[in-house]
Amino acid sequence: MLWANDRGLAIAWVPLVWAGASAVKAIVAGPAGALSDYFGRVPLLLAGWGLRIALLIALAFTAHGQGEALTWTLFLLYGGALAMTEGVERALIGDFSHASQRGTAFGLYHMTTGLAALPGALLFGVLWQGFGAATAFVIAAIIAALSTFMLLHSTRTT
């Protein structure tokens, strides 16, 4: 949201852009789940994470004043990228966990993501404050790329 406002989007529009991203997530989530059932979880995760990396880089290098339309487009596309992956990530956990331990697996997943969210947000904020938004987004893209390569490597060896 800071990024959108920093790019010239009036603060009054920020909640609407957020609502728009949520609407895109709602629209994309169902078809993304169906695609993961048809093509497999990993290919859809790789595509979604790849899109997220490209969008993080685009967010990093979008200059102030390039237009509200671009700001809206990138933010809505980011919502779509999240929708492509969030449900599929959870489905993959269900696929890899034994039925008798599925609840534990989901609990550990949500605990881990919850525990990582605060330090991740703090790191992003420190990078933004100290080195600028572009650096924060590029580092986020690098971390996402490393995660993508780890997924690709781990699924090729199993």
Side-chain angles (χ1 to χ4, degrees):
M1 297 292 87
L2 286 174
W3 175 87
N5 186 249
D6 207 31
R7 295 301 169 271
L9 190 67
I11 198 74
W13 288 104
V14 170
L16 292 174
V17 108
W18 191 261
S22 294
V24 168
K25 282 177 70 173
I27 292 166
V28 172
L35 287 172
S36 81
D37 291 338
Y38 186 78
F39 290 109
R41 313 278 187 242
V42 174
L44 200 66
L45 280 176
L46 293 173
W49 288 357
L51 177 59
R52 189 180 303 182
I53 292 164
L55 288 167
L56 286 167
I57 292 169
L59 290 168
F61 296 108
T62 302
H64 180 76
Q66 285 189 308
E68 288 184 9
L70 181 60
T71 300
W72 276 84
T73 300
L74 290 175
F75 214 85
L76 295 176
L77 285 172
Y78 195 78
L82 290 175
M84 283 180 65
T85 59
E86 287 178 346
V88 179
E89 291 165 358
R90 291 167 181 88
L92 189 64
I93 291 164
D95 292 346
F96 280 112
S97 60
H98 190 274
S100 66
Q101 296 178 334
R102 202 158 285 144
T104 301
F106 282 112
L108 288 171
Y109 167 78
H110 287 289
M111 180 188 73
T112 302
T113 56
L115 289 173
L118 180 59
L122 287 172
L123 174 62
F124 191 85
V126 166
L127 290 169
W128 184 307
Q129 192 70 30
F131 303 99
T135 300
F137 281 114
V138 168
I139 297 294
I142 290 168
I143 292 169
L146 290 172
S147 299
T148 303
F149 288 122
M150 288 173 58
L151 173 68
L152 186 59
H153 176 72
S154 67
T155 56
R156 283 193 174 168
T157 60
T158 56

